[in-house]
Amino acid sequence: MVVDGRVGAGGSGEPESSDSLRTFGAVVQALREFHGLSREEFGNLVGFSKHTVASVELGRRMPDVDFVEAAEAVLGNTGALRKAAVHLVRQVGLAAWFREWARLEKTAITLYTYECRMIPGLLQTEAYVRALSDVHLPPLSDQEIEALWTARADRQRLLTERPNTAISFIIEEHVLLRRTGGVDVTRGAIDHLLEVAELRNVEIQVMPLVRPSHSGLQGTIHLLETPKNKWFAYSEGQENGQLISDPKVVSILQARYARMRSQALSLEDSLSLLQRMRGDL
């Protein structure tokens, strides 16, 4: 599951850094240096390469149980590393490739999102996020799922905390008909969409299931406008994403999105459809 830049691990195979990983690494480094050991010397003692030691100390790698136990024995056996390791969390909320988009998103004055795979991250409920997490491959731990939802909820604050940002969503009807997570999760998801649609700065449109063709068939579209009126786009695949600044490409995506707004159901008809779908559950 990699949508809106959320992923358990980046393409490098190492987890995204987090405050807990960096803090743990700093403690390992401080203890190693206190004992007068180089990374290579320490690595030989704990049975790991100096490169692995460096990755742990820099907060780029989640230390496994063997590393923690070996480090404890070499660095005084105080129990500090063992206790700290329990609280380590990968930063699964934002993948490395998504961070720049997320940064721009926080101050955007216009946000456009077309989603054909699932409910957009900015509109997902906690139950929906957990339903998606249950089928994530590779499987996520409870800590990773908690971190994922925390990051998602933090992003969603911009819907209410930036009332002057014009936000538009176009969602495929089949995304809701799939009933991801079951009837109760879908019912809650639709209720949330109807609630968010009441915000003055948010527009939600549904692309009907029966539609011979439309301008978004080539995939999802994410667009934003900065306070300096510069437009960016974002494209995402299974295990990667790309921030797009080329004006020609952004212009093409803007044209497609503009056409789609006329091809989707109107705001009123979209809300009516959502209400009917809610009633059918």
Side-chain angles (χ1 to χ4, degrees):
M1 175 188 62
V2 184
V3 174
D4 290 349
R6 284 116 24 213
V7 65
S12 65
E14 293 187 345
E16 296 305 320
S17 186
S18 67
D19 289 342
S20 63
L21 282 172
R22 287 189 290 270
T23 300
F24 181 88
V27 172
V28 171
Q29 181 175 355
L31 290 173
R32 173 181 61 76
E33 292 175 347
F34 176 79
H35 285 274
L37 299 170
S38 68
R39 282 177 174 164
E40 185 171 6
E41 291 170 334
F42 177 66
N44 289 334
L45 291 173
V46 297
F48 290 85
S49 71
K50 65 178 181 180
H51 302 294
T52 297
V53 172
S55 291
V56 171
E57 291 185 349
L58 295 173
R60 294 198 302 254
R61 183 185 181 95
M62 175 73 78
D64 59 24
V65 174
D66 290 339
F67 182 96
V68 175
E69 291 300 324
E72 276 283 10
V74 171
L75 300 176
N77 208 26
T78 64
L81 296 180
R82 192 178 295 113
K83 291 179 180 179
V86 176
H87 303 287
L88 291 176
V89 176
R90 291 178 175 91
Q91 185 175 324
V92 300
L94 299 178
W97 63 75
F98 187 69
R99 289 176 183 164
E100 181 62 14
W101 175 264
R103 184 186 69 79
L104 293 170
E105 187 180 63
K106 288 181 179 179
T107 59
I109 61 174
T110 306
L111 275 173
Y112 293 159
T113 300
Y114 162 63
E115 183 55 70
C116 57
R117 299 168 293 184
M118 59 187 69
I119 295 174
L122 288 174
L123 297 175
Q124 292 176 4
T125 63
E126 181 176 357
Y128 190 88
V129 170
R130 293 185 182 280
L132 293 176
S133 300
D134 285 343
V135 296
H136 187 282
L137 289 176
L140 299 175
S141 68
D142 290 343
Q143 285 184 318
E144 290 173 317
I145 294 173
E146 289 299 326
L148 181 63
W149 167 243
T150 298
R152 193 73 45 79
D154 183 62
R155 278 187 66 219
Q156 292 177 358
R157 289 165 50 193
L158 70 85
L159 295 174
T160 54
E161 293 184 356
R162 296 190 57 80
N164 297 118
T165 298
I167 305 175
S168 166
F169 296 98
I170 300 176
I171 307 171
E172 289 283 353
E173 182 182 355
H174 69 76
V175 166
L176 298 169
L177 292 174
R178 183 177 296 122
R179 298 186 180 182
T180 299
V183 171
D184 289 341
V185 172
T186 302
R187 185 182 293 117
I190 294 177
D191 285 342
H192 185 62
L193 292 177
L194 291 170
E195 180 181 347
V196 173
E198 294 179 0
L199 296 174
R200 237 184 264 109
N201 61 318
V202 178
E203 296 182 346
I204 297 178
Q205 292 179 262
V206 176
M207 186 65 73
L209 185 63
V210 180
R211 188 79 170 84
S213 184
H214 66 73
S215 299
L217 296 180
Q218 290 178 307
T220 61
I221 296 176
H222 300 268
L223 294 159
L224 66 74
E225 180 185 12
T226 71
K228 294 185 178 181
N229 304 114
K230 181 173 177 58
W231 284 85
F232 291 89
Y234 177 72
S235 175
E236 189 167 79
Q238 287 281 339
E239 290 293 334
N240 58 75
Q242 179 184 13
L243 181 70
I244 302 170
S245 59
D246 186 332
K248 292 183 179 179
V249 178
V250 173
S251 179
I252 291 172
L253 296 177
Q254 284 178 304
R256 290 177 184 172
Y257 195 89
R259 177 69 61 83
M260 290 176 63
R261 295 182 82 171
S262 67
Q263 295 170 328
L265 297 177
S266 68
L267 297 175
E268 294 78 9
D269 290 343
S270 293
L271 293 181
S272 294
L273 176 59
L274 289 174
Q275 290 165 347
R276 290 197 302 274
M277 295 176 72
R278 170 66 169 79
D280 290 339
L281 294 173

